[in-house]
Every structure is written in C-alpha cells, then in structure tokens.
Amino acid sequence: MPKKNVSVFFCQECGNETSKWAGKCPACGAWNSLVEEIVDKASVKQRAKVSDVKPTKIIDVATSNEARISTNIDEFDRVLGGGIVPGSMVLVGGDPGIGKSTLLLQTCRQLCLAGVNVLYVSGEESLQQIKIRADRIGNFNDKLDLLCETNLDTIKAVVEREKPTVLIIDSIQTMYNEAVGSAPGSVSQVRESTSVLMEISKVQGIATFIVGHVTKEGTVAGPRVLEHMVDTVLYFEGDRHASYRILRGVKNRFGSTNEIGVFEMRDTGLEEVRNPSSVMLDGRPENATGSIVTCSVEGTRPILVEIQSLVSKTAFEIPRRMATGCDYNRVNLLVAVLERMRDAKANKSCGIFLGRSDIYVNIAGGIRINEPAIDLAIAMAIYSSEKDISIDAKTLIFGEIGLSGEVRSVSMAEQRVNEAKKLGFEKVIIPFANEASVANIKGIEVVGVANVKEAVDALTRKN
Ligand SMILES: Nc1ncnc2c1ncn2[C@@H]1O[C@H](COP(=O)(O)OP(=O)(O)O)[C@@H](O)[C@H]1O
Ligand SMILES: [Mg+2]
C-alpha cells in the first residue's frame, strides 16, 4: 500500500481531531484554536490478533507491592502521595523560570545520593548550563547521567541501553519524533512524544518526569490530552518575583490531589518550607486596617494566610474591583452580601455601602486559594478597611458565607484551630456549627458565629 500522508486539524485547547478546518472547535467550542498537521497514516501500529485477547479475573491480578522511591525532599514526596511510584509518569508544569529544572535536578541529586540511577535528558540546555545549576545545588555522584538530545529515537535507544530507574525529560515541548512531520512543540508532536515515552516507561518500569511549559492561559502548552495520558500532573506556581513557590498536585492516580509543597528559591536552589504558615504571615503589619488572618486547608494541611483589603472612594463612574490570590467573582458575591445587610433589619448595623468604592482584595505571600472557608475573612477585611477599624493581630477567622449572610460550617475546623493555636493566636472566630467539634481544644478562645453580623460584633467587641 502506498504511504499516504493525511492532513488533519487539531484543537490546541482540547486536542480534538477533525478532518476539516473550522473557526470554532466542534468539541470544546474554543475559537480559532484549530491547527493543521500532517499525520502519517502508514505508521498506525499493528494490533494484536483479536482472538488472542482475553479478559483477566480481578482476583488473578498480581500486585507487586513495590515500595515507592523517596525523593528525600519531604515537600515533593507529599505532593507525589508518598514518593515516586516505579513505572509512573509525572508531568511537571509551570511558567518559564519558576524553577522546574531546578526542582528536578535537586530531586536527581537526592536520588543519586540514595543510589538510584537517574538519566536527565535536556532538550533546552547544554551540559555546561546544567552543570552551572548543579554547582549551585551541591555535590553529585556518578549515578546521574546527563543527555542533551531532542530526538526521541535516540533517547529511546539510550534509555533501553542505560536502563535508568528514573528518567527526566526537560521539556516535552522540545522533543522531536521523526515519524511525525510537524515541528517540535506542536500538538501531534507533543502527543506522540508522550506516548512513546509512556511506552518506554510502562514496559521497563521507569519512573518518568516530564516538564511541560504552560501557556498564558495557565494550561500545559499543546493539548490537554497530555494531562489525560500521564498518571500525575503537578503544577509549580507562585509569583516569579517573590521567592516562594508552590507545587500543587492537580491529578494523581497514586495519591491525593490538592496536596501542596512549599519551597523557597535561594541561590543554593529550592529550599523546603516546613512551616508555611509562619512564612505566609511574615512581615504582617500590626494594627493595620483591612488586614486579617484566616486558615485555609490545602490537602491535609492547614495554612494560615493574611487577607488584605483596601476600600477607597472611586474616581470613576464604575468602581474597580480587584482580587489577587482569590476568586474575583467570590469577592463580588461577598460585597453584595455586605451591601444587602444594610437593608436587612436585623443586620443593619453591619451593612456597608460600597457602590462608590474601589475594592482591592489580596492574599499576601503569592499563594492562590479557592476555598470558601476564607469567605468570612475576606468580608471582614473589606468591612475593616471601609470602617477604618483595625483588627486584633492575635485573632483569626474562618467560615463560609451563604447568600443570606449566614456563616456556614467548614471542614477540618479542628485542624484549623490547632494551627492557629500553634502559631500563637489567642482568639478564633469560627462558624457556630463547628463550635462543638473544637470544644476540647484548650488554651485558645473560640467564638462561634451564625451570621455576618455576629462576626462583626465578635471582631469589634472590646475585651
Ligand atoms: N544564583 C541564583 N540565585 C537565586 N535564584 C536563582 C539563581 N539562579 C537562578 N535562580 C532562579 O532560578 C530560576 C530558574 O529556574 P529554572 O529551574 O531554570 O526554571 P524553569 O526550568 O522552570 O524554567 C530563575 O527564575 C531564578 O529565580
Ligand atoms: Mg527549565
């Protein structure tokens, strides 16, 4: 049969494949996201004979109780769900310059010091550049092999010969598979490269880390399908200008997601931050208005953060609203709840008029939180700034706010209160419904509130 190249169109957003170009992706509805690529139909793999395929009984499946490989970086192990699973494939995504290569090179160092064979393949940097970074991080031994290569066939051959236990690919966008006609970084190239690596990884039981660049929209460049293919997806995020970095699990077939690891970028590489709460509260202003501390739970871990708000008279027709680190729409909702309180008879005293005010809400420390448990703190920060009252620095507050101004219970209240106590807070204001669950915690004053008005009263009451 003659070799036939077919032109198909891939959606850059969702990876959907169509035979015709269209302005709008028929699968995900994204505009102008289809790109043409040539697919070599002759390279479709031969399938096994259908009659040979039989299902297996679940009780007959043997599980190898293989131990996970520890990276000896606790923060990284936690996000991975307790260490590296042999044969698994992990995608590490993040903005350029955030520290992906640094983190993985540090992991390589820890692994090779523990006697694990590692192969680090870089398609972005030269051997000298990697060595300069390695010198910053510390000393290495002969267990780490470096390879500067972008051709997947070559990489495959090297991996098959060297048989490393852990393979690092930095980055998937630079990898090139000759069987696919398109340029490196394109949808089909990234997809094909990943499936080749996946095959090597699964067949030989090699744990593979692949680095993926992130687009402006915040997803791994190229197709989303990449996220579906791998076992674990980790995002490395944080403000590039601040030194704190957060490693977040968004998908994990071998552990819980939403665990986070916190690191600080130093000139000696990434340092683990074992007590993120105290770091996040570092440099907090005392007795400033619009500043309040709350507790968010990330995965299984409570983290204290400072919520700041600034309310000022607007100079424009339409007031500005800005939210950094939290959900913009959530802030608008909370503003509406606070405004509505003015009309509600029972809560009149805590209603405020914000229609002529610009409102800025910021979570200090560059962390992003999407948990509704920080609602009450956001609302109180806005209230405090508008009314120009400062909140006691030793008071912490958390709770979800409902549309009628009620304060709803949140999960893991006990852990939150304990974390507050550990960091020296003297008073916590929590949802009324959670009060019973923290009754046995001594040494900290707990105030349960049922609605926003009670929270305002509890905050402004002088002892
Ligand atoms: N000497 C140094 N001291 C402190 N930080 C450094 C130093 N050199 C590099 N960095 C940090 O390392 C980052 C680059 O990390 P890198 O791992 O190459 O990022 P990525 O692979 O995600 O693009 C830089 O943005 C910078 O913040
Ligand atoms: Mg890099």
Side-chain angles (χ1 to χ4, degrees), residues 96-97 99-102 120 124-125 133 170-171 211 213:
K100 302 180 292 295
S101 307
T102 311
Y120 185 105
E124 299 197 331
E125 289 159 314
R133 179 177 298 122
D170 190 1
S171 66
V211 171
H213 291 287

Side-chain angles (χ1 to χ4, degrees), residues 43 96 103 162 180 206 224 229 261 267 289 357 362 381 385:
S43 67
L103 177 69
E162 301 291 328
V180 182
I206 301 172
R224 260 313 154 66
M229 290 166 81
D267 55 355
T289 63
S357 310
N362 175 38
S385 178

